[in-house]
């Protein structure tokens, strides 16, 4: 390892430590505003990226300035929002420049009016590797702040952008503990999509434990709620049981949102192949859609719209609660 690389790492960690300290100070201030949401689960295939894209588009459509930051080497946001082959898709280079080389974190552009994106992609594997190196390097430090300083790298990179946006969504990969911890420390709220299967609940419990670790350095972080995903719209008793189990898993620390996102495979495929979220397909003039597909898309769009209002209300209530302290 070169001297230049060592100096870079020390410099970056000092910025990360400072960002972590500011998060703790902000938690004590009644002026703090929660606006950064970590969309996260310890298991893949639970609708995480679809949820992030749909909420981002819906908030941008009502005039909110939104930043969608994808901490996932799979880069699904580019496919969900239709910019896979465009200049917007840098495969994660903007994040590599910011996290590894200390450059400002800069969105690649607007995927929709008011919706700015920092895509994920395979280049994020470099960041994952570096985060593990940092964690090992400081694992035996007697200073708990330095031991966990690597977790603050994303908080440090994102901090200069916070005032530029009304909402920031961090779409975080399920299989990388380091990315999840770094993303949670950079966030104010956690939104957890979940399915009914046991492995999805296991993923929630993994996130819950990482949530507690992140809160040591980020007291602003709260569990905003759980979104049930891929639930049969007619299975009301099953849904009620799932809600009970999830609330039990989380120890009552977060509620399950009233609206569940139903499972409609044809609609999901139609959306992803066209690079649009359900509301956009419903309101568009795509004549290639079959009547059955359009009907399913309309139902799915209604789910996301109802959920969007509930998420917005939860954010408002979270910020009101802080001001009331």
């Amino acid at each position: 390892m070169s001297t230049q690389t060592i100096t870079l790492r020390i410099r970056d960690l000092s910025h990360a430590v400072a960002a972590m300290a500011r998060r703790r100070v902000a938690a004590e201030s009644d002026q703090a505003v929660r606006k950064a949401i970590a969309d996260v689960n310890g298991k893949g295939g639970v609708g995480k990226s679809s949820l992030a894209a749909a909420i981002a588009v819906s908030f941008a459509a009502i005039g909110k300035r939104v930043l969608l930051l994808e901490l996932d080497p799979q880069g699904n946001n580019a496919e969900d929002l239709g910019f896979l082959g465009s200049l917007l898709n840098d495969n994660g280079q903007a994040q590599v420049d910011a996290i590894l080389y200390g450059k400002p974190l800069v969105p690649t552009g607007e995927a929709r009016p008011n919706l700015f994106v920092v895509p994920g992609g395979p280049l994020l594997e470099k960041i994952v590797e570096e985060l593990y190196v940092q964690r090992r390097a400081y694992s035996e430090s007697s200073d708990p702040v330095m031991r966990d300083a690597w977790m603050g790298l994303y908080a440090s990179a994102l901090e200069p952008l916070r005032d530029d946006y009304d909402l920031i969504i961090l779409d975080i990969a399920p299989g990388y503990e380091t990315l999840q911890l770094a993303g949670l420390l950079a966030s104010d709220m956690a939104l957890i999509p979940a399915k009914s299967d046991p492995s999805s609940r296991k993923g929630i419990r993994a996130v819950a434990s990482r949530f507690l670790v992140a809160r040591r350095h980020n007291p602003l972080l709260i569990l905003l709620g759980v979104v049930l995903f891929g639930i049969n719209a007619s299975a009301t008793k099953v849904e009620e049981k799932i809600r009970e189990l999830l609330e039990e898993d989380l120890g009552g620390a977060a509620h399950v949102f009233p609206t569940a996102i139903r499972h409609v495979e044809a609609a999901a495929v139609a959306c992803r192949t066209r690079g649009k979220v359900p509301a956009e397909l419903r309101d568009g003039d795509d004549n290639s859609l079959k009547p059955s597909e359009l009907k399913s898309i309309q139902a799915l769009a209604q789910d996301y719209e109802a959920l969007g209002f509930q998420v917005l209300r939860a954010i408002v209530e979270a910020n009101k609660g802080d001001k009331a302290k």
Side-chain angles (χ1 to χ4, degrees):
M1 184 186 298
S2 68
T3 303
Q4 182 181 4
T5 303
I6 294 172
T7 303
L8 173 66
R9 286 179 172 168
I10 292 172
R11 186 197 68 201
D12 280 348
L13 286 186
S14 69
H15 285 299
V17 169
M20 292 160 66
R22 286 190 286 271
R23 301 292 286 161
R24 291 193 294 273
V25 170
E28 300 299 324
S29 170
D30 60 3
Q31 301 302 313
V33 176
R34 287 190 171 95
K35 62 170 64 176
I37 299 178
D39 176 22
V40 60
N41 191 307
K43 178 185 179 298
V46 294
K48 176 184 61 65
S49 293
S50 298
L51 177 64
I55 290 181
V57 169
S58 66
F59 275 66
I62 62 173
K64 300 293 184 182
R65 191 173 169 90
V66 180
L67 176 66
L68 178 57
L69 170 60
E70 184 180 18
L71 280 69
D72 194 334
Q74 288 192 35
N76 289 330
N77 288 168
E79 192 172 4
D80 287 329
L81 295 175
F83 62 87
L84 189 60
S86 77
L87 293 177
L88 290 182
N89 185 27
D90 69 348
N91 292 311
Q93 185 64 54
Q95 294 184 58
V96 170
D97 290 342
I99 302 303
L100 298 189
Y101 303 113
K103 296 180 181 180
L105 182 63
V106 179
T108 59
E110 287 181 90
R112 305 287 190 274
N114 296 321
L115 174 52
F116 296 79
V117 293
V118 180
L123 294 179
L124 263 63
E125 295 287 357
K126 297 181 180 180
I127 296 177
V128 173
E129 180 183 359
E130 178 65 12
L131 292 178
Y132 277 114
V133 167
Q134 297 284 4
R135 184 166 74 170
R136 286 195 298 269
Y138 291 93
S139 62
E140 297 182 3
S141 173
S142 59
D143 182 349
V145 174
M146 283 307 300
R147 189 165 57 241
D148 294 339
W150 59 270
M151 295 184 200
L153 288 170
Y154 267 97
S156 176
L158 191 57
E159 198 172 44
L161 298 178
R162 290 180 65 88
D163 291 341
D164 296 336
Y165 298 95
D166 300 306
L167 182 70
I168 300 170
I169 301 173
L170 291 83
D171 181 10
I172 308 175
Y176 299 89
E177 181 184 19
T178 52
L179 281 180
Q180 288 198 349
L181 286 167
L184 286 167
L185 203 143
S187 302
D188 311 314
M189 302 164 282
L191 186 65
I192 305 176
K195 289 188 175 181
S196 59
D197 58 289
S199 60
S200 182
R201 290 182 57 207
K202 183 178 179 180
I204 286 181
R205 289 192 287 271
V207 168
S209 66
R210 292 164 190 169
F211 173 91
L212 294 175
V213 172
R215 267 189 62 88
R216 295 174 191 166
H217 304 291
N218 180 17
L220 274 174
L221 183 64
I222 62 170
L223 281 171
L224 194 65
V226 175
V227 177
L228 287 179
F229 209 96
I231 304 298
N232 189 316
S234 63
T236 54
K237 289 185 178 180
V238 173
E239 182 177 328
E240 288 175 4
K241 183 60 178 178
I242 294 169
R243 290 182 188 277
E244 291 177 7
L245 292 172
L246 290 175
E247 288 174 349
E248 178 182 325
D249 290 340
L250 292 166
H255 78 286
V256 180
F257 284 99
T259 295
I261 305 301
R262 71 192 71 195
H263 175 70
V264 190
E265 185 65 25
V269 171
C271 288
R272 179 156 282 186
T273 56
R274 290 166 174 80
K276 294 182 178 181
V277 302
E280 291 175 317
L281 273 188
R282 179 198 61 190
D283 299 337
D285 55 359
D286 191 333
N287 295 323
S288 67
L289 290 170
K290 299 176 183 178
S292 58
E293 287 179 319
L294 184 57
K295 184 178 180 180
S296 296
I297 288 166
Q298 289 171 339
L300 195 56
Q302 289 176 352
D303 288 348
Y304 277 117
E305 285 177 340
L307 177 65
F309 283 117
Q310 291 161 18
V311 169
L312 179 58
R313 185 163 54 245
I315 294 172
V316 171
E317 290 301 318
N319 283 306
K320 279 184 180 179
D322 287 339
K323 301 299 184 292
K325 289 180 181 178

